Amino acid sequence: MQAIAPKTKPFGKEAFQSQKGTDIRWLGNAGALINSRGTTVMIDPVLSGFDMPLLIDMPITEEDVPYVDAVLLTHCDNDHYSRATCKKLAEKVKEFHAPHYVAGLLKEELGIDGIGHDIKETFQAGNMVITLTPADHAWQNESPKHHTRDFKMEDFCGFWLDTPDGSIWAPGDSRLMEEQLHMPAADAMLFDISDSRWHIGLEGVWKMAAAYPDTPLILWHWGSVDAPEWKEFNGSPEVIKSLAVNPERIAVLAPGESFQLKKLDDRINR
């Protein structure tokens, strides 16, 4: 049986207002909204237009989003890059950021002037300093149907965000890479729990959790898509808790639920 996310906690314009501190809201599957003292960033928002049945309700619609400083896109798979969502949000978003290939798609397909970046390049969005981190997810090269070009490592990324209240790492969809085990310890991680061979996999979950034993793990890429036969969407929080060091730091959020970011030293020493 599929693990299903807790019941959605809808939110509205209040989640985008100036505030004290930094919070993270899971948008379902592999999307997030981050509000850091009024600077707002969305990672891979898919609020509409997905072509598979869902197990959840979206916590917000594009129409209810007032303004976003930056949308960050990790890659071109349609469970991360929603053309419908990007098009609806275009006039409300100050900047779209992505690997060069995805930024090119934004321009070609939607007429959006996205900003393309190299892996490990750093840029600023409001009070956040954001760096693209490497990812290994070029599954299309093995699929005759989807091998429309030779996909390259630099077409896929994760994002590291430094905020005034701590660091957040979204490694993105990726097979486990050795260098991903030697990053600084983030203050929170958006943690893919998919057992697909082009994702981290359960062995990768164990290794990554062990490499950063105190970092809070916000589970994503699970519980949202009604596809029992697809490993990509069928991670189980209970399985992850049985594998991870210090399972008490695992955050199983409902779509729309807020997680308050705190520096790791503050969490450990509280």
Side-chain angles (χ1 to χ4, degrees):
M1 294 180 62
Q2 288 184 273
I4 301 175
K7 185 177 180 180
T8 295
K9 296 186 177 182
F11 61 88
K13 294 179 174 61
E14 74 283 352
F16 298 82
Q17 295 174 354
S18 182
Q19 62 180 31
K20 295 180 180 179
T22 296
D23 62 23
I24 304 164
R25 293 176 192 264
W26 183 41
L27 297 177
N29 197 42
L33 166 66
I34 300 165
N35 182 334
S36 179
R37 304 186 185 188
T39 293
T40 53
V41 165
M42 282 182 156
I43 303 176
D44 290 350
V46 180
L47 304 179
S48 66
F50 189 51
D51 61 355
M52 297 176 71
L54 298 178
L55 297 167
I56 63 168
D57 295 321
M58 291 296 105
I60 191 169
T61 66
E62 293 94 347
E63 289 73 21
D64 288 332
V65 173
Y67 175 82
V68 184
D69 288 284
V71 165
L72 314 180
L73 300 171
T74 61
H75 63 292
C76 66
D77 289 351
N78 67 354
D79 60 327
H80 294 258
Y81 165 46
S82 168
R83 291 153 179 83
T85 293
C86 289
K87 185 175 182 179
K88 292 176 183 178
L89 290 180
E91 294 185 358
K92 304 177 179 184
V93 177
K94 182 178 180 182
E95 295 175 342
F96 288 80
H97 295 269
H100 289 290
Y101 173 65
V102 183
L105 292 179
L106 282 169
K107 182 63 174 179
E108 176 185 343
E109 297 177 342
L110 303 175
I112 294 173
D113 290 321
I115 301 172
H117 297 278
D118 296 328
I119 305 302
K120 299 186 178 181
E121 185 176 340
T122 294
F123 61 93
Q124 187 120 9
N127 61 19
M128 300 188 206
V129 177
I130 303 171
T131 303
L132 281 73
T133 61
D136 179 0
H137 193 61
W139 63 271
Q140 296 94 333
N141 293 338
E142 294 186 356
S143 169
K145 178 180 178 181
H146 298 96
H147 189 200
T148 56
R149 60 187 288 275
D150 287 331
F151 285 83
K152 303 174 182 179
M153 291 280 286
E154 57 262 34
D155 299 334
F156 308 83
C157 76
F159 289 102
W160 181 283
L161 299 86
D162 285 310
T163 82
D165 303 296
S167 57
I168 304 164
W169 185 25
D173 286 8
S174 178
R175 297 191 288 195
L176 184 65
M177 304 172 67
E178 181 64 26
E179 63 186 292
Q180 291 173 332
L181 298 175
H182 302 285
M183 300 282 287
D187 297 302
M189 190 185 304
L190 293 160
F191 198 56
D192 177 7
I193 62 172
S194 169
D195 193 28
S196 165
R197 69 188 189 89
W198 277 101
H199 288 248
I200 188 172
L202 293 183
E203 182 179 357
V205 163
W206 176 81
K207 289 181 178 179
M208 184 81 89
Y212 308 104
D214 298 308
T215 294
L217 305 176
I218 301 171
L219 304 188
W220 74 351
H221 224 301
W222 77 281
S224 305
V225 179
D226 188 1
E229 71 284 3
W230 288 57
K231 286 187 175 182
E232 288 79 2
F233 303 114
N234 283 319
S236 166
E238 294 309 311
V239 171
I240 302 311
K241 289 178 181 179
S242 72
L243 290 173
V245 176
N246 297 337
E248 66 278 0
R249 46 56 186 262
I250 293 173
V252 182
L253 301 183
E257 184 176 359
S258 175
F259 176 92
Q260 193 71 27
L261 182 67
K262 295 182 180 179
K263 291 186 183 295
L264 198 55
D265 288 346
D266 294 339
R267 290 186 181 273
I268 293 172
N269 296 327
R270 65 182 175 181

